[in-house]
Every structure is written in C-alpha cells, then in structure tokens.
Amino acid sequence: METLEVRGVSVSFDGRKVLEDVSVTLRKGELVCLLGVSGGGKTTLFNVISGLLKPDAGQVLLDGEDITGKPGHISYMLQKDLLLPYRTIEDNVALPLLLRGVKKREARKQASALFEEFGLGGTEKLWPSQLSGGMRQRAALLRTYLFSQDVALLDEPFSALDTLTKSAIHRWYLDVMERIHLSTLFITHDMDEAVLLSDRIYLLTGQPGRITSEIVVEEPRPRRQDFNLSPEFLQYKRRIQEQLQNP
C-alpha cells in the first residue's frame, strides 16, 4: 500500500496553469525522485503535498487519509539547511518538538537520543557556524525527521555540497533511511544523483508540468561502489535524457 498518494493535482497561478493532472505514489521505505528542468512545477507540487498550498484539483492522501491543504502531516526540508544561528544544534533539531508543545527539557532529551544515529554525536552544544556543510545537512535532516517520522520531502537537499561530501552524505542518508524506516520523496536536477539514489524516478516536464515518464531503477540500494561507471548507469542516464528532450 502507498504511504503517500498524489492524485490528479492541478495548480494555476493568476490564470496560468503550473501543474496539470499530476499523480505520484510513494511506498513505505522507498526513495522516489522528481526530476525535471527548473520552473517545471516541482516545488509547487511539494507545497501541495506538504499542505502549504491547496490545489485547484486533486488530492493528497497519507496512509489513506485525505490531507489536501492540511499542513503539519508531512515534513519538508528546503534546499538550504535554515539552521537558526542563535540556537545550538540541539535546540535547532528540537524545534519541531517545541512547536508541538513538548517542554524544552523533554524536547532536548528526545532530540539528543538520535544524535548518534544521525552521526551528530558531540555536536549538541555547538553552534551552526561551527559545523561543516555536511554536518549541517545531517542536523537539518534530523530536524526534518522529528517533524514527521514517516515521510520526508527533500527539495534539492544535497545540491550545495561538494562532490566528495555529497557522495558521503548519499551513503549515510540511505543507511539512515533503512534503519529508521523512512520514506523519501526528493527533488533534484542532477541525473547522476537521481539514478544513484532512487528506487523510481518521475520526470516532471512541460508547461504546465506533467508527469511524462516513470523510470524504475532495478539496481538494489545502496548501489555498488562502481555503479556510476557501469554501462547500466549510462543507460539509465541516456533514457532520462531522451525522455526529457522528447517528453
């Protein structure tokens, strides 16, 4: 059964249609990618899924419950980590719990219990400026997880990282997903990233944006070390390029 189901979503702004009849699914434990050019409506779709924007038509279902236009059910991490510079890492991560009314001491306790799991042990009392880019992303992802422990929406979460850091974070995130049973829907413009991480890839193209193709990546996660050098990897990339050029 699908954990998350988006059915026939259409959105217009000032009479201009941005999304038309978009449907996607995310099953328990999956990592699914939305791939497409800038301005194709991917972030608009995420705003609909998270409940921040009500669509003109369509539904968003979470475990069968209609959550269309109802924020607070699905966590959403933007491209930047958005850690508050005047709060410690511990208090940044605990923020979703505090917003839910959990007392500060208990919120810190619940957040701190996961620091080792997320590779953040020993950073609790540090400030965001004292962490590397990769560690800041880990903290932001832990904060996202504490907001909603079932489904995470990630909008280009790794794009600001250098290649080596990004590769390490990819491996780490897949491991964490497996251990905490998290389902992830993420946006990227990076074909390599999409093929290396995803179980399935939706291509969102055109004006207005439509799902024009769904590509299943058969290679098991995590990918083997040299997968990005294999003929299979290049075949997936070629297929994506062809679909993007001829939707």
Side-chain angles (χ1 to χ4, degrees):
M1 180 181 172
E2 288 79 10
T3 294
L4 176 69
E5 186 176 4
V6 180
R7 294 181 181 169
V9 162
S10 296
V11 176
S12 298
F13 294 124
D14 299 323
R16 183 178 68 88
K17 191 164 274 191
V18 178
L19 294 173
E20 184 166 42
D21 196 25
V22 171
S23 297
V24 301
T25 59
L26 176 68
R27 302 180 192 100
K28 185 71 177 174
E30 271 193 319
L31 194 150
V32 173
C33 168
L34 279 173
L35 181 65
V37 297
S38 297
K42 296 184 298 298
T43 298
T44 298
L45 181 60
F46 266 28
N47 286 338
V48 170
I49 295 171
S50 63
L52 298 174
L53 177 67
K54 194 161 186 179
D56 302 329
Q59 286 180 300
V60 179
L61 304 175
L62 182 64
D63 293 327
E65 179 188 351
D66 190 341
I67 60 165
T68 312
K70 299 175 185 176
H73 292 271
I74 295 179
S75 57
Y76 184 3
M77 180 177 156
L78 301 171
Q79 186 173 347
K80 295 181 179 178
D81 59 63
L82 299 179
L83 297 178
L84 301 173
Y86 50 84
R87 285 180 180 262
T88 62
I89 300 303
E90 180 181 54
D91 285 343
N92 263 288
V93 166
L95 195 56
L97 301 175
L98 295 172
L99 292 173
R100 264 191 232 133
V102 179
K103 298 291 185 185
K104 183 179 280 190
R105 181 177 293 182
E106 178 59 26
R108 284 175 171 171
K109 183 179 176 183
Q110 288 183 34
S112 295
L114 289 163
F115 266 58
E116 288 292 341
E117 185 100 56
F118 275 72
L120 290 163
T123 68
E124 290 87 342
K125 303 302 181 186
L126 297 180
W127 304 99
S129 60
Q130 294 176 284
L131 295 191
S132 66
M135 292 295 275
R136 288 174 65 108
Q137 287 301 94
R138 291 184 187 215
L141 286 161
L142 174 51
R143 182 179 60 189
T144 301
Y145 172 69
L146 285 171
F147 182 87
S148 169
Q149 299 183 4
D150 295 315
V151 176
L153 305 179
L154 308 182
D155 191 346
E156 294 196 79
F158 313 119
S159 61
L161 303 175
D162 63 76
T163 303
L164 289 176
T165 303
K166 185 186 287 191
S167 179
I169 285 284
H170 284 168
R171 291 193 299 273
W172 167 81
Y173 186 71
L174 292 177
D175 182 53
V176 167
M177 261 190 71
E178 187 76 25
R179 281 187 278 124
I180 63 179
H181 310 294
L182 183 65
S183 309
T184 303
L185 184 63
F186 83 108
I187 288 172
T188 184
H189 293 100
D190 185 335
M191 279 188 283
D192 287 25
E193 183 171 69
V195 176
L196 285 170
L197 294 181
S198 306
D199 296 301
R200 292 182 292 123
I201 301 167
Y202 286 109
L203 301 186
L204 184 65
T205 61
Q207 295 288 339
R210 299 179 181 88
I211 299 295
T212 53
S213 186
E214 178 189 349
I215 295 170
V216 177
V217 183
E218 301 289 354
E219 187 77 12
R221 285 197 284 113
R223 313 294 188 231
R224 62 185 190 268
Q225 195 71 33
D226 63 346
F227 178 61
N228 63 330
L229 302 174
S230 69
E232 296 93 335
F233 178 81
L234 294 176
Q235 204 166 21
Y236 280 117
K237 282 189 67 175
R238 192 174 296 116
R239 186 176 165 194
I240 291 169
Q241 283 178 321
E242 288 171 358
Q243 294 280 356
L244 289 175
Q245 289 165 2
N246 303 289

